[in-house]
Amino acid sequence: MAHPVSPLALPLPEMPPVPGVQVATGMAEIRYRAREDVMVMAFPAGTTVAGVFTKNRCPGAPVEWSRAALKGGKARGLVVTSGNSNVFTGKAGRETCEKTAAAAAGLLGCKPREVFLASTGVIGERLPTEKLVGALPGVFGAVEEAGFGPAARAIMTTDTFPKGAVRTATIGETTVTIAGIAKGSGMIAPDMATMLSFLATDAKIPAAALQALLKKGCDRSFNCVTVDSDTSTSDTVLLFATGAAKHPRVPAEGGAILKDFARALNEVLMDLALMVARDGEGAQKLIRIDVTGATTARSAHRIGMSIANSPLVKTAIAGEDANWGRIVMAVGKSGEPADRDLLSIAVGGVWMAKDGGVVDGYDETPVVAHMKGREVEITVDIGLGKGKATVWTCDLTHGYIDINGSYRS
């Protein structure tokens, strides 16, 4: 069942090829009929890889496979499927991963542990291995250096629009490209989301340095976004560096030479993370929550997520109801240090409550006008310290129930 495109959707940017990355999409009909549901990438020898995965304690077999493969730090291939997450499938799920990686490795002329896997979709159903493995020769046979647009579409499940971002950076005097795609719409909460994201660059960066940059970047982007507080079993973010660009050598620990690269990577990750929030199931509004004055940055982040995950806050925003009492409640339930008599709350830049009470002469009119827009901004000052954080979410509408009540049917 197709869902209407989110009113918060952004167009897919022009996605140039990343030197060294060959990509193709195909149909294995794992769950969907007459649409592409397999995406593969092929990388040259020497490609390094970094990854960040779900912290859900019941991860899918592809997460376990890729987590183990990451220890090698090298990649030659990627196979992504949509429609079936290959989660809670026990021994059968592990066998699917082994057979898929072996088949891809045979086609690429590499070791199975240099092939990375990711799947997303329904939990608890066996992935039809024969269909997938049978489709791989045709898909890998079609790989070419091309833009990531079709790949962004092939990995969608309940997404209503494809998500991609691209930036350039300089290492020494050399310009390198970073391009990324993501899918994610519901079951979205740190760490990461029912979210898959794949990024590639033509830079030559040692795996350890790449891993440090990706982890830091995800903490500031994907781990600051929530749609519904549910942490998926399948979250995977992978970053591949082909080394096709010729630039000064990057030391194992990275360092100052990667400053501009880190900026560009963080921008791509943030673009993708905000697109996921914009495509929250049934979302009509994008919500930004700035928390200041907390005891620590971590505390500010937890308070922000408590507000962002509150069904009462999210439904109030869906109904355009300036009910700031719900924000007070969400601050208080976070378990973080807070003092009712020091708390201040603003919506759309208008302070409604300060120092534990409503502001004298408070007029709700500009707040209500702000809440009628597509993007809503909430600011909370805890008044205890210098800790601050920004998180993003979306409102909670009837559309979320409609999509999730009929997901398998």
Side-chain angles (χ1 to χ4, degrees):
M1 173 183 163
H3 303 291
V5 175
S6 167
L8 305 169
L10 295 176
L12 192 70
E14 194 66 40
M15 301 282 288
V18 176
V21 182
Q22 294 186 300
V23 61
T25 57
M27 276 190 274
E29 296 197 334
I30 291 163
R31 179 176 183 80
Y32 305 115
R33 300 287 174 267
R35 65 154 271 197
E36 295 187 318
D37 57 356
V38 180
M39 185 274 286
V40 304
M41 288 185 181
F43 311 107
T47 295
T48 55
V49 59
V52 178
F53 303 95
T54 183
K55 288 186 179 172
N56 191 300
R57 301 287 183 172
C58 300
V63 168
E64 292 183 324
W65 175 274
S66 293
R67 201 179 258 150
L70 190 67
K71 290 178 180 140
K74 293 276 191 282
R76 291 292 309 283
L78 170 69
V79 179
V80 184
T81 61
S82 70
N84 180 321
S85 67
N86 194 13
V87 172
F88 213 70
T89 44
K91 189 179 174 200
R94 290 190 290 277
E95 286 175 353
T96 295
C97 288
E98 287 164 10
K99 287 178 179 173
T100 306
L107 295 163
L108 291 165
C110 68
K111 296 174 186 157
R113 283 296 183 192
E114 294 174 304
V115 174
F116 287 76
L117 308 174
S119 296
T120 177
V122 172
I123 291 172
E125 291 181 7
R126 190 169 172 271
L127 197 151
T129 313
E130 301 71 29
K131 279 187 175 180
L132 174 55
V133 170
L136 289 182
V139 187
F140 273 107
V143 294
E144 58 178 347
E145 266 199 17
F148 289 179
R153 291 183 182 89
I155 63 174
M156 288 166 47
T157 51
T158 59
D159 302 56
T160 68
F161 65 95
K163 301 165 183 64
V166 63
R167 292 287 191 284
T168 56
T170 52
I171 299 178
E173 301 294 309
T174 306
T175 298
V176 297
T177 300
I178 306 170
I181 57 174
K183 65 83 44 188
S185 189
M187 209 189 287
I188 301 291
D191 280 282
M192 297 175 326
T194 177
M195 190 204 88
L196 303 180
S197 183
F198 308 103
L199 302 98
T201 178
D202 53 345
K204 188 173 182 65
I205 300 176
L210 205 62
Q211 182 67 34
L213 289 176
L214 182 64
K215 171 136 190 9
K216 199 169 181 183
C218 284
D219 282 343
R220 293 175 177 176
S221 56
F222 290 124
N223 287 342
C224 288
V225 167
T226 178
V227 167
D228 49 19
S229 86
D230 287 340
T231 299
S232 160
T233 50
S234 302
D235 310 349
T236 301
V237 177
L238 293 169
L239 167 58
F240 302 92
T242 67
K246 300 293 175 246
H247 55 72
R249 185 179 163 277
V250 175
E253 69 281 3
I257 192 169
L258 292 179
K259 187 177 177 195
D260 196 50
F261 181 87
R263 170 205 55 82
L265 174 62
N266 290 342
E267 287 176 11
V268 170
L269 290 167
M270 186 58 84
D271 274 9
L272 294 173
L274 290 183
M275 283 183 204
V276 170
R278 286 174 173 276
D279 205 14
E281 288 167 343
Q284 299 291 309
K285 297 177 190 292
L286 179 70
I287 306 164
R288 173 178 170 144
I289 301 164
D290 290 297
V291 178
T292 59
T295 51
T296 64
R298 176 175 282 191
S299 181
H301 181 264
R302 285 178 176 159
I303 291 168
M305 293 305 270
S306 179
I307 299 165
N309 281 325
S310 164
L312 286 175
V313 171
K314 289 151 73 76
T315 49
I317 292 169
E320 299 170 355
D321 176 14
N323 187 342
W324 55 270
R326 293 184 175 181
I327 300 170
V328 175
M329 172 279 299
V331 172
K333 78 166 185 173
S334 69
E336 293 300 313
D339 183 332
R340 180 196 62 203
D341 297 333
L342 297 174
L343 192 61
S344 302
I345 294 167
V347 171
V350 177
W351 291 97
M352 317 152 88
K354 277 206 163 175
D355 304 328
V358 68
V359 169
D360 284 344
Y362 164 60
D363 176 9
E364 207 171 82
T365 312
V367 176
V368 172
H370 175 74
M371 292 182 77
K372 288 191 182 302
R374 287 291 183 197
E375 300 192 16
V376 175
E377 294 188 0
I378 296 172
T379 307
V380 175
D381 187 77
I382 307 299
L384 290 177
K386 293 185 176 171
K388 60 182 183 179
T390 301
V391 302
W392 287 266
T393 188
C394 54
D395 56 344
L396 184 56
T397 70
H398 290 287
Y400 184 87
I401 298 167
D402 295 340
I403 291 165
N404 284 293
S406 60
Y407 179 53
R408 293 196 312 156
S409 48

